Amino acid sequence: MAAADARPQAVHSGSIWRWLLAVTLALALAEPLVTGHTSGYAQRIIILAGINIVLAVSLNLVNGITGQFSIGHAGFMAIGAYVSAAITVFGGLALEQWAASGHLDPARPVLNLFLVGQPGLGVQLRAQVWFAFALLSGGAAAALAGVLVGLPTLRLRGDYLAIATLGFGEIVRVILLNLDVVGGASGFTGTQPFNKLPSYTNFFNTYLCAAVTVFAITALGRSTRGRALVAIRDDEVAAEAVGIDTIRFKVGAFALSAFFAGVAGGLLAHYLSVIIPTPTMFGFMRSIEIIAMVVLGGTGSTTGAVLAAIVLTVLPERLRDLDQWRMVLYAEVLIVMMLVRRQGLLGRAELTDASWRRLGEWLRGGRRGGGLKRTLGTWRDALRQRFFVVGMAPLTGWVALGLWCLPILDLLIFLPALGEMLTRALNAKPAAWLAYAGLPPRMFAADVVSALTSLVPAGLKAVPIFAALAPQIKLPLEANPGLSLAVLPLALPWAALCTRLARGDKRALLWLGGLLLLATWHALGNLAGGMHGGRVLVETVVALLALAGLATQLGARRRLPAGEEAR
Amino acid sequence: MALLSLRGISQRFGGLLAVSEVSLDVEPGSIVGVIGPNGAGKTTLFNCITGVYDPTEGEIWFDEHRVDGLRTSELARRGVARTFQNIRLFRGCTVFDNVRIAGHLHAGYGLLAALTQVPAWRRGEQRVADRTMALLDRFGLAAQRDELGTSLPYGDQRRLEMARALATEPKLLLLDEPAAGMNPTEKVELMGQIRRLRDDFDLTILLIEHDMKVVMGICERILVLDHGEPIALGTPPEVRADPAVIRAYLGE
Ligand SMILES: Nc1ncnc2c1ncn2[C@@H]1O[C@H](COP(=O)(O)OP(=O)(O)O)[C@@H](O)[C@H]1O
Ligand SMILES: [Mg+2]
């Protein structure tokens, strides 16, 4: 080969430290700008975006880089939140009392750092040291949970792993729900009234955590260990064959990812000052949110995860007055991405200086890229193929087509909402046509779904045995028309369709997206009858998913020997 | 003392005895051929040696340690590397990364060094990168180093798999049908390359091939499998003259 090829791969030294230093300085400079010149509302979005960056980037380590499809990230987050909150609430107080009672010498330098009430160092600084300790402990607890979850789920792949991790997340939530020390179902705000959950989280420490997360995972990716994770994603059998202990690495990835999720949970807890184990804060819904960020950004791309975390924090916040539509946004992200660009916006690529050049090249149809026109063409073809679900029996084909219309129809309705939102964001008056196009069809579609799903309980009631059983097993036949069982007739064909269209985690994503859509629509349709149905419904969907997962698990008992693939 | 020693290895899949009572001693520095018709159990035997299966019966000794039941990764760490009959490259990784990933055992830095990017990390990375480039050069793949491994032509993919296996710095290299899909002259050429690899890297090689004629030239010894049974074991001339082998290959 040419001599120029002999040593082309120079390894650059630890630029990461310089970056971290630069970012810290930049954050310190930006802090007064952010806190001084923006509204409280904008600050809230900025901080939530920072927390979401930590979550998305850390989940991407497992889902994107290691290729293990986990959707229980909110569970780790919850553990971190509660552990760190418990430490700042109980720990600070206990240490203070202990020192006051003369058992500890407050003059000892390390201890002194933690005694918030003592004179000397600034109270603020002490609080932050204490907070850092709490965050690290929360992260460590979450990492421990990560190992515990990682180990048993190693045998599972794709959607099976998804179900198992989902189950873990829900278990954590339910445990917290019943843990009275930390407030149980009414949430944890500290021990009233003297020792509240402190709001330590600010712009600086949030983004410092985000920066550390990004840097740690980037550094990992530039080392043999990070590449070992990529190898596991790309071919587990071959990875083992080159000496990568897949068990250790997978569990390690789970633990590290959980650690950062725990830290993010701690940040959130000390930002909100009240934590409640609801699905939206620490449960299924939150996990979906984070998944949507990873899927949108590109599974495997850290910069993609960062960008998607920002976009998917800002957009729904702007959609606040259309609150129920938040979930539709996530569902749309999942489904549309699975339809048109499964690898996410950035795929595995990272956004670097070179990317912009390549983007220009690609747009012009240069060397590698197909050019915008050709790309649109391939997308169109792909869509065409996926719509007219090729090779299905006529009936399934029609059902499939019908089901595909749901997200598309929904997108059509959703787009005007998006338009509305954008015009509002620009402080412009919504154009008349937007207001018109937005509302009526939205309600209409919701009504249709709701009507459809409501038919089922009525039908069930007609079957005597169900009618008789209903009070015993609390089948919600009348009280909440269209609960659990109602989603079934729509959810099942959807699941069947997903099974045919995609495999593994892609299938799980399609599945989740579809169910989420149905659930949200249904909840919207029930709007008149009281919104509480929506929450119960989502929980039911989760239960259904778990059931379906269990069924598939039982079906998959026939264990393939590991070597089936090693040929 | 043999580097690898199989003692009465059997592998059963339900009712099928894929490998039956195979015993074999492989001396350090030798090239041993495993031949036999399709479905004879050759790949299964490789899977037993590399720890993909824990053999139903028998013992495997490698480098004076009993190794059956160990994990594949542990065996790779101890010096057993392999290629796959159906090429298994790291999809989505470049040619360079395919080999670099396999060099991880010899980078010589830990997790902490990786996360903090201290000089130990940089030196280790540079060492791995240099060795990767040297291997790519050796296999004539240096020019394609930034291309996707899976986008290479078939023959290059096979060579890339070999380079990847060598990056783990093995003592024993198992090649599963490296000559598949080649024409007879290419096959002969490949056998010459394999012999040079053995000499340059101090390897011991176990080689699966379909076609007896191809391996006659380079193997010191040949094991013939048929329906999982070892029907002959010996030098090429011995094997060629063996009536059982003639029956298996020419009979029916
Ligand atoms: N994991 C497995 N489960 C069941 N049967 C298997 C498995 N692996 C291989 N076999 C069977 O064992 C026999 C030998 O296969 P193999 O070792 O691949 O043959 P060869 O490599 O010699 O062509 C074949 O009949 C094959 O179907
Ligand atoms: Mg074979």
Side-chain angles (χ1 to χ4, degrees):
Chain A
M1 279 306 116
D5 282 333
R7 248 191 81 153
Q9 214 76 29
V11 178
H12 301 296
S13 60
S15 51
I16 285 223
W17 286 105
R18 259 171 282 148
W19 273 108
L20 201 51
L21 193 67
V23 167
T24 313
L25 283 177
L27 285 179
L29 289 177
E31 164 102 67
L33 282 178
V34 172
T35 43
H37 294 267
T38 51
S39 66
Y41 179 61
Q43 278 179 42
R44 176 191 156 85
I45 295 178
I46 289 173
I47 286 184
L48 289 182
I51 294 174
N52 281 336
I53 289 175
V54 177
L55 287 169
V57 169
S58 60
L59 182 66
N60 187 44
L61 177 67
V62 166
N63 281 29
I65 297 175
T66 320
Q68 307 299 306
F69 191 67
S70 158
I71 52 175
H73 218 46
F76 299 121
M77 190 186 170
I79 291 175
Y82 275 84
V83 168
S84 63
I87 285 177
T88 48
V89 170
F90 301 122
L93 194 64
L95 197 69
E96 233 43 80
Q97 282 170 349
W98 212 13
S101 67
H103 286 288
L104 289 172
D105 177 10
R108 266 194 275 171
V110 175
L111 184 65
N112 196 21
L113 282 176
F114 289 93
L115 294 174
V116 180
Q118 292 292 314
L121 278 168
V123 173
Q124 289 264 318
L125 189 63
R126 287 167 196 276
Q128 286 300 317
V129 170
W130 200 213
F131 184 37
F133 172 71
L135 284 183
L136 289 176
S137 315
L144 195 68
V147 174
L148 293 182
V149 183
L151 274 175
T153 50
L154 280 174
R155 287 172 174 278
L156 307 178
R157 255 174 244 184
D159 31 7
Y160 304 122
L161 180 61
I163 301 293
T165 48
L166 179 75
F168 155 76
E170 288 304 301
I171 287 170
V172 169
R173 203 174 63 76
V174 170
I175 289 177
L176 290 173
L177 217 45
N178 292 294
L179 216 59
D180 289 335
V181 208
V182 286
S186 50
F188 186 51
T189 54
T191 51
Q192 303 284 3
F194 302 114
N195 204 22
K196 289 190 174 181
L197 179 52
S199 26
Y200 286 154
T201 304
N202 55 34
F203 170 78
F204 182 78
N205 53 28
T206 303
Y207 276 84
L208 194 62
C209 286
V212 169
T213 310
V214 170
F215 289 132
I217 287 173
T218 310
L220 188 71
R222 297 179 60 191
S223 76
T224 52
R225 277 146 218 266
R227 274 180 238 120
L229 298 180
V230 172
I232 290 174
R233 167 184 67 187
D234 281 349
D235 193 321
E236 226 176 300
V237 175
E240 271 282 330
V242 298
I244 293 165
D245 186 339
T246 49
I247 292 185
R248 228 186 73 214
F249 274 92
K250 279 200 254 178
V251 174
F254 254 102
L256 191 62
S257 159
F259 173 84
F260 287 119
V263 171
L267 286 170
L268 187 70
H270 293 86
Y271 179 67
L272 300 178
S273 291
V274 49
I275 43 181
I276 314 171
T278 56
T280 35
M281 198 183 282
F282 290 122
F284 170 67
M285 300 296 233
R286 174 64 64 138
S287 290
I288 293 291
E289 246 181 272
I290 312 169
I291 288 274
M293 291 168 190
V294 172
V295 166
L296 179 68
T299 37
S301 171
T302 300
T303 36
V306 172
L307 289 180
I310 295 171
V311 169
L312 285 188
T313 313
V314 176
L315 271 189
E317 278 297 330
R318 289 268 153 200
L319 274 171
R320 198 126 270 260
D321 42 341
L322 302 160
D323 202 28
Q324 308 81 27
W325 290 88
R326 282 167 67 97
M327 272 346 254
V328 178
L329 176 68
Y330 299 125
E332 286 298 350
V333 166
L334 294 182
I335 295 178
V336 172
M337 291 313 279
M338 287 307 105
L339 270 173
V340 295
R341 196 174 160 81
R342 295 193 172 186
Q343 69 272 44
L345 285 182
L346 288 187
R348 292 173 166 205
E350 297 293 349
L351 213 53
T352 55
D353 305 343
S355 330
W356 299 111
R357 252 199 338 267
R358 258 181 277 137
L359 180 67
E361 240 172 48
W362 176 80
L363 284 174
R364 272 175 271 116
R367 204 162 46 88
R368 287 225 161 169
L372 196 53
K373 214 170 148 193
R374 219 179 321 152
T375 306
L376 286 180
T378 50
W379 280 13
R380 194 193 50 218
D381 291 346
L383 268 179
R384 212 180 267 161
Q385 258 180 25
R386 286 184 189 137
F387 273 122
F388 303 106
V389 191
V390 195
M392 280 190 182
L395 186 61
T396 358
W398 280 112
V399 173
L401 200 60
L403 281 173
W404 275 128
C405 291
L406 290 182
I408 302 305
L409 177 68
D410 184 71
L411 192 66
L412 289 181
I413 314 161
F414 181 65
L415 280 179
L418 207 69
E420 244 177 69
M421 182 200 75
L422 285 176
T423 44
R424 222 170 276 173
L426 297 170
N427 284 328
K429 247 179 87 181
W433 68 270
L434 275 179
Y436 178 76
L439 281 169
R442 235 187 279 153
M443 292 323 293
F444 171 72
D447 282 342
V448 170
V449 175
S450 181
L452 273 178
T453 48
S454 303
L455 281 178
V456 183
L460 279 182
K461 239 183 110 184
V463 185
I465 186 157
F466 276 111
L469 278 177
Q472 269 77 36
I473 52 175
K474 296 208 173 64
L475 271 181
L477 291 190
E478 261 161 336
N480 287 304
L483 280 182
S484 50
L485 293 165
V487 208
L488 212 60
L490 285 172
L492 281 189
W494 174 263
L497 175 71
C498 296
T499 307
R500 303 199 118 197
L501 288 177
R503 303 187 60 183
D505 41 356
K506 309 286 188 276
R507 173 172 60 193
L509 283 173
L510 269 176
W511 198 5
L512 280 175
L515 289 181
L516 213 57
L517 258 189
L518 290 174
T520 321
W521 278 14
H522 184 85
L524 286 175
N526 270 1
L527 215 58
M531 259 311 287
H532 65 287
R535 215 200 71 212
V536 188
L537 192 76
V538 168
E539 288 180 3
T540 317
V541 170
V542 174
L544 270 179
L545 271 172
L547 262 181
L550 197 68
T552 39
Q553 264 303 86
L554 291 177
R557 274 280 79 148
R558 190 181 52 87
R559 191 173 146 255
L560 290 175
E564 180 71 293
E565 297 181 336
R567 300 218 195 169
Chain B
M1 181 64 201
L3 178 70
L4 173 76
S5 173
L6 310 180
R7 302 180 186 165
I9 295 296
S10 296
Q11 178 66 48
R12 185 178 282 284
F13 296 117
L16 176 81
L17 197 56
V19 170
S20 161
E21 304 259 336
V22 172
S23 294
L24 175 72
D25 279 334
V26 181
E27 296 303 320
S30 64
I31 299 183
V32 173
V34 179
I35 64 173
N38 247 336
K42 306 181 295 290
T43 300
T44 305
L45 184 65
F46 269 29
N47 281 340
C48 289
I49 298 172
T50 52
V52 176
Y53 304 136
D54 187 4
T56 323
E57 269 163 52
E59 296 178 3
I60 301 175
W61 289 71
F62 177 74
D63 221 5
E64 296 173 31
H65 292 282
R66 186 163 171 191
V67 297
D68 48 287
L70 291 185
R71 288 170 57 80
T72 308
S73 51
E74 176 55 29
L75 279 157
R77 224 171 279 265
R78 293 179 181 211
V80 180
R82 76 176 289 185
T83 64
F84 295 90
Q85 181 176 356
N86 304 330
I87 303 173
R88 305 189 74 108
L89 292 171
F90 297 125
R91 277 172 264 115
C93 283
T94 60
V95 169
F96 185 81
D97 272 342
N98 262 286
V99 179
R100 177 159 67 164
I101 284 170
H104 72 113
L105 294 173
H106 309 283
Y109 64 85
L111 179 63
L112 211 60
L115 289 181
T116 51
Q117 304 211 330
V118 291
W121 163 80
R122 198 188 57 75
R123 280 194 302 272
E125 277 299 300
Q126 189 68 61
R127 190 164 48 234
V128 173
D130 289 347
R131 272 219 296 255
T132 301
M133 271 330 283
L135 273 173
L136 289 182
D137 262 336
R138 177 73 164 73
F139 285 87
L141 294 167
Q144 292 103 304
R145 67 162 194 273
D146 292 328
E147 283 168 35
L148 275 185
T150 45
S151 72
L152 295 182
Y154 188 72
D156 284 349
Q157 291 196 24
R158 284 215 172 278
R159 278 186 300 160
L160 179 55
E161 249 205 344
M162 270 195 232
R164 182 179 72 184
L166 285 178
T168 65
E169 305 197 358
K171 296 176 185 144
L172 176 69
L173 178 62
L174 308 177
L175 300 173
D176 197 344
E177 305 209 11
M182 295 184 174
N183 65 36
T185 39
E186 285 171 338
K187 285 188 177 185
V188 171
E189 198 178 312
L190 178 73
M191 293 305 143
Q193 286 168 0
I194 288 174
R195 195 204 309 258
R196 283 195 296 281
L197 276 188
R198 189 256 323 252
D199 298 339
D200 295 352
F201 291 90
D202 283 330
L203 293 172
T204 305
I205 292 178
L206 208 56
L207 168 73
I208 290 181
E209 175 52 57
H210 221 65
D211 182 350
M212 195 181 341
K213 284 191 290 286
V214 175
V215 288
M216 285 297 169
I218 66 159
C219 293
E220 278 93 35
R221 280 163 17 105
I222 290 176
L223 168 71
V224 188
L225 291 183
D226 187 27
H227 295 295
E229 308 262 355
I231 57 172
L233 173 65
T235 61
E238 282 168 11
V239 164
R240 193 166 17 203
D242 194 301
V245 177
I246 296 171
R247 221 176 307 125
Y249 268 78
L250 304 173
E252 270 124 49

